Amino acid sequence: SMASNIQRVLQSMVKPKNRVLLGFVEDGFSTLVPVYGDYEYIFGYKAAHVNITGKSGVAGKTSYALFLIASALSKSKQDETRSLAVVGFNVKEKDLLAVNNFGFNSLDDAISELEKMPGYKDDASMWAKAKEEGVDPIKIFKECSRIFEPAKDYYYGLQDLLERGPYVFLSLFDISDIDDKFESLVLSITEQYKDNNTSFIKLIRDLSSRLDKNRNSQYINISYTTHHVSTVQKFLNRLNKILHSQVLEKESPRGHPLNIDYIETGDFWIIDINPLKDNEKRMVFFSILSDLSSILESKKQGDPNFETFPSRVAIFVDELNKFAPSTKSAYSPIKNFLIEIAARGRSIGLSLIGAEQFASQIDEEILGNCSTYLIGKTDNVELSNKFYKKLSEGLQKRVENLKAGQLVLIHEAIRVPIFIRYPIPLHRVEE
C-alpha cells in the first residue's frame, strides 16, 4: 500500500483530538507513516495501562517507554484538556537519570547531526517525522524532568507509612514472610499506632515491652485483636533487620516523603530507587502509587484542593515482575494492592507503563488489564506462553528476529497487531 492509503486507514481508527504518536510503519517505498494510539485507551478513562516486554538490551523497553512518554507529554502540552504528568522509577544503574543530558541544543540540531552520522539516517528521518507530529523530547525532558534521590530527597518515618495504609507498610517485608497472621498483625499495628507520635524505634520498644510483660501468655492484644507472641516476635525480628535502611527515619515519627501534590501537568518526575534494596524499592513504589491513587480519587470527586492537579498520571517502571510476580503460590497482599490499582486505575486516570523481559513473569490480572502491549525480540521458549496467543504463528516467528528499534504493537483502538519502529533516544546517541 501507498503511504497515503496506510495513513488514511490508521487515522480513521483514532479521533484527531485523541491521537498519541506510538511509532511508525513504512510503505513499500520506505516512506514513514505515523501510527497513533488513542489517548483515552492508554491513560484513561476508557481503558489504561501499557506493557512492554522483550529481551534485555535488544527489545529497547526503556528506550521505547521514553519515546512514548515524550510523545504523550508533548500531546499534553499542546492540548490543555489532555492534562498528564508522568512519574518514572529508575531501577537500573543510570537508565533514566540521563534523560535530560543531550549533546544537542535542539531537536533540529539533533536531526541535522544524525543525518551526517553513520548508522543514524533512519533515526534522523523518524525524529523529523515526530517533530512534524509535535513531539520534541529535548524540550520536554530538559524543561519538565526532575530527579529525586533516596535519603537526599526522600525518606519515610513510621507515621508516613501507616497513614498510606497497611499495604505500604507490608511492602517493606519479604513476600515469603507474609501470611494471613502476619498481615493481621500489621493491620492491628496500623490501627493502634497511627497516632502521629510513634516512631519505628518507639514501636519496637513498646511491642518488646508488651512481650516481656506477657511472658506467661501465648497471646497479646493489639487494637482489640489477639495475636500469638510468635507472630509478634517474628515481626520484630524482621523489622529490626529492615531498619538498616537509607530511606527509613528510625527515631522520629515523620520523615521527608516525596510530596506528589506538587507535580504539574507536563512534568516528568524521575525517582531513583536503583541504590535501594528490593523491599525498599517496593515500599517507595507503593507509597507513590498510594498517594497518586488517593489524590486522583479526590480530584475525580471534585475536591477543590486538587483542582490544578493533572487529571491523569502515568507511572513508568521497568522490572515490573518484581512488584507483581506471577507466582500463584505466594501469598501477596502487596500484589493484590497493585491488582486493585490496575483494575480501577483507568476510571481515575492512573495508568501503568510497565516493562519486563518476560510477560510470563507478570501476574495475569495485571497483564489482562492492559489496553496496549508492545513486544520486542523474544525467544521461542517464552513465546510458548499463552499470553503470546494474541499473535499468529507467522508473527511469532518474526518476533524471534526483531532488531533494536522494532516492536509489535497491540493496541485496543487499532484492533490488529502491527509492526512499528521508533527512533533512538537522543541522550543515547554516540558519536
Side-chain angles (χ1 to χ4, degrees):
S1 298
M2 299 288 287
S4 57
N5 293 331
I6 297 172
Q7 186 156 347
R8 187 172 66 250
V9 170
L10 292 176
Q11 286 180 342
S12 70
M13 296 181 181
V14 183
K15 297 176 181 177
K17 68 175 183 177
N18 288 354
R19 289 174 189 162
V20 178
L21 181 65
L22 297 185
F24 305 94
V25 294
E26 291 180 331
D27 71 359
F29 302 96
S30 299
T31 302
L32 289 171
V33 180
V35 178
Y36 308 104
D38 191 309
Y39 184 94
E40 294 187 350
Y41 281 93
I42 301 173
F43 304 110
Y45 302 113
K46 291 183 178 178
H49 313 310
V50 176
N51 189 265
I52 312 167
T53 190
K55 291 181 68 173
S56 181
V58 182
K61 300 181 292 294
T62 301
S63 295
Y64 181 76
L66 289 173
F67 177 79
L68 173 60
I69 290 167
S71 177
L73 290 179
S74 295
K75 174 76 173 178
S76 183
K77 288 284 190 181
Q78 296 160 22
D79 183 353
E80 61 182 21
T81 66
R82 298 293 181 241
S83 171
L84 174 73
V86 178
V87 176
F89 289 88
N90 182 65
V91 297
K92 296 186 300 186
E93 299 171 359
K94 295 185 178 180
D95 236 7
L96 297 180
L97 305 186
V99 294
N100 54 11
N101 295 333
F102 298 103
F104 312 102
N105 296 319
S106 66
L107 183 54
D108 286 330
D109 180 33
I111 294 167
S112 178
E113 290 298 315
L114 288 174
E115 287 174 343
K116 302 172 189 174
M117 297 167 63
Y120 287 108
K121 188 175 180 181
D122 286 351
D123 294 291
S125 298
M126 283 187 277
W127 278 123
K129 196 71 177 175
K131 182 175 181 287
E132 292 178 13
E133 298 293 321
V135 177
D136 188 337
I138 294 180
K139 185 176 178 64
I140 287 293
F141 293 149
K142 272 193 173 182
E143 294 181 1
C144 306
S145 63
R146 294 182 60 189
I147 295 172
F148 299 87
E149 300 175 27
K152 174 186 171 185
D153 296 314
Y154 66 87
Y155 51 94
Y156 295 78
L158 176 63
Q159 297 303 314
D160 299 318
L161 300 188
L162 295 185
E163 72 180 14
R164 286 165 173 80
Y167 298 113
V168 174
F169 189 22
L170 268 173
S171 67
L172 271 175
F173 298 90
D174 193 273
I175 292 173
S176 61
D177 286 327
I178 303 173
D179 54 20
D180 56 349
K181 295 177 183 177
F182 197 94
E183 181 185 5
S184 176
L185 173 60
V186 170
L187 288 170
S188 294
I189 289 171
T190 301
E191 289 175 4
Q192 179 160 338
Y193 291 97
K194 189 172 69 172
D195 54 14
N196 211 31
N197 292 312
T198 304
S199 66
F200 280 108
I201 294 299
K202 188 176 179 182
L203 172 66
I204 289 171
R205 288 173 180 165
D206 190 66
L207 290 178
S208 299
S209 174
R210 294 176 72 172
L211 285 175
D212 287 339
K213 291 176 181 177
N214 288 271
R215 287 181 180 176
N216 297 325
S217 173
Q218 290 188 316
Y219 297 93
I220 63 172
N221 289 324
I222 301 173
S223 185
Y224 309 107
T225 302
T226 302
H227 300 278
H228 199 279
V229 293
S230 63
T231 305
V232 180
Q233 287 168 341
K234 175 184 173 181
F235 171 83
L236 287 171
N237 289 336
R238 302 301 187 271
L239 185 58
N240 272 303
K241 292 178 182 178
I242 286 168
L243 284 185
H244 298 286
S245 165
Q246 60 179 306
V247 288
L248 294 179
E249 167 56 53
K250 308 171 191 60
E251 300 286 348
S252 299
R254 296 280 177 182
H256 180 67
L258 276 169
N259 196 337
I260 208 75
D261 295 22
Y262 293 142
I263 200 166
E264 298 178 352
T265 294
D267 279 356
F268 180 28
W269 281 19
I270 299 164
I271 302 171
D272 187 16
I273 58 174
N274 177 55
L276 305 180
K277 298 173 185 175
D278 282 352
N279 68 311
E280 297 167 338
K281 290 177 181 178
R282 284 196 305 270
M283 183 275 290
V284 176
F285 178 73
F286 281 104
S287 173
I288 299 298
L289 208 59
S290 175
D291 285 351
L292 285 171
S293 177
S294 176
I295 291 170
L296 287 168
E297 286 270 18
S298 297
K299 181 178 176 66
K300 190 83 173 181
Q301 293 169 11
D303 188 332
N305 293 317
F306 302 110
E307 186 177 355
T308 61
F309 194 82
S311 58
R312 294 171 176 86
V313 179
I315 291 181
F316 168 58
V317 61
D318 200 350
E319 299 183 354
L320 181 61
N321 50 292
K322 288 188 176 181
F323 304 97
S326 62
T327 310
K328 292 184 178 179
S329 58
Y331 179 79
S332 181
I334 304 164
K335 184 174 71 175
N336 293 342
F337 174 59
L338 186 56
I339 290 171
E340 181 188 350
I341 294 263
R344 65 185 176 86
R346 66 168 186 83
S347 65
I348 60 172
L350 179 59
S351 58
L352 293 169
I353 303 173
E356 72 288 325
Q357 289 190 49
F358 307 110
S360 60
Q361 295 178 341
I362 302 297
D363 181 88
E364 290 182 1
E365 286 189 65
I366 292 172
L367 206 57
N369 271 305
C370 294
S371 66
T372 307
Y373 305 92
L374 293 123
I375 303 168
K377 184 173 182 178
T378 304
D379 288 336
N380 181 260
V381 174
E382 171 67 6
L383 288 169
S384 64
N385 182 270
K386 63 182 181 180
F387 165 75
Y388 299 94
K389 288 182 179 179
K390 301 173 186 290
L391 305 177
S392 67
E393 187 176 340
L395 283 175
Q396 289 187 28
K397 292 291 183 185
R398 290 185 67 183
V399 165
E400 292 180 57
N401 299 296
L402 289 178
K403 299 177 182 177
Q406 297 178 330
L407 295 166
V408 174
L409 166 69
I410 304 173
H411 178 55
E412 205 161 311
I414 296 179
R415 298 188 293 276
V416 292
I418 184 171
F419 280 93
I420 63 169
R421 298 180 62 195
Y422 64 94
I424 186 171
L426 294 176
H427 69 280
R428 290 185 177 171
V429 174
E430 298 178 1
E431 297 285 349

